[in-house]
């Protein structure tokens, strides 16, 4: 991932921050190269996706280490669905697009 982190000034042993960036992920169970589709019980998605991430968190400066909990949202930028060959497929015919979204709690000790 590539992040831009914006910190405020440190207040005693505490400092809030905002985070924004881009990342990529790999779907190892995507079945992208498989020629079968949902009629053969094979759901297919893209194998690599580009995401943007937004987050906020706090840095706590303790005696021996820095503790940084943060909450981040991860949102896909591209359609991940590979539609079936038949246009009127009962599985993917009505789906226009499919994007990943997630919320992560990240805890860092430095």
């Amino acid at each position: 991932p590539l992040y831009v982190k914006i910190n405020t000034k440190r207040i005693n042993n505490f400092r809030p921050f905002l985070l924004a960036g881009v990342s990529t992920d790999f779907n190892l169970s995507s079945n992208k190269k498989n020629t079968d589709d949902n009629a053969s019980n094979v759901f297919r998605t893209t194998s690599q996706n580009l995401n943007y991430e937004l987050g906020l968190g706090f840095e706590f400066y303790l005696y021996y280490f820095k503790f940084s909990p943060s909450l981040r949202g991860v949102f896909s930028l591209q359609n991940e669905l590979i539609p079936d060959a038949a246009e009127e497929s009962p599985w993917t015919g009505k789906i226009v697009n499919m994007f990943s979204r997630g919320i992560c709690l990240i805890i860092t000790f430095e």
Side-chain angles (χ1 to χ4, degrees):
L2 180 64
Y3 295 122
V4 174
K5 186 176 178 182
I6 302 168
N7 293 324
T8 63
K9 287 188 176 183
R10 187 172 160 177
I11 304 166
N12 295 329
N13 290 331
F14 166 79
R15 179 166 69 174
F17 64 87
L18 294 174
L19 187 79
V22 294
S23 65
T24 185
D25 62 25
F26 297 97
N27 185 354
L28 299 177
S29 64
S30 69
N31 291 322
K32 180 179 181 177
K33 295 181 181 179
N34 197 337
T35 57
D36 295 333
D37 56 11
N38 284 307
S40 303
N41 294 327
V42 177
F43 188 75
R44 299 178 302 158
T45 59
T46 57
S47 59
Q48 185 176 1
N49 301 308
L50 186 63
N51 307 311
Y52 69 93
E53 298 187 23
L54 302 171
L56 59 99
F58 302 98
E59 294 177 343
F60 297 101
Y61 293 89
L62 303 173
Y63 190 72
Y64 289 109
F65 60 91
K66 181 170 66 171
F67 174 62
S68 301
S70 65
L71 192 62
R72 297 182 193 171
V74 181
F75 308 98
S76 178
L77 289 171
Q78 61 196 41
N79 186 10
E80 297 178 29
L81 178 68
I82 297 176
D84 292 342
E87 299 243 347
E88 293 300 319
S89 169
W91 296 281
T92 61
K94 304 290 183 197
I95 301 173
V96 177
N97 51 31
M98 184 176 70
F99 296 95
S100 291
R101 297 180 191 145
I103 296 176
C104 303
L105 174 64
I106 309 295
I107 298 173
T108 306
F109 296 95
E110 292 181 32

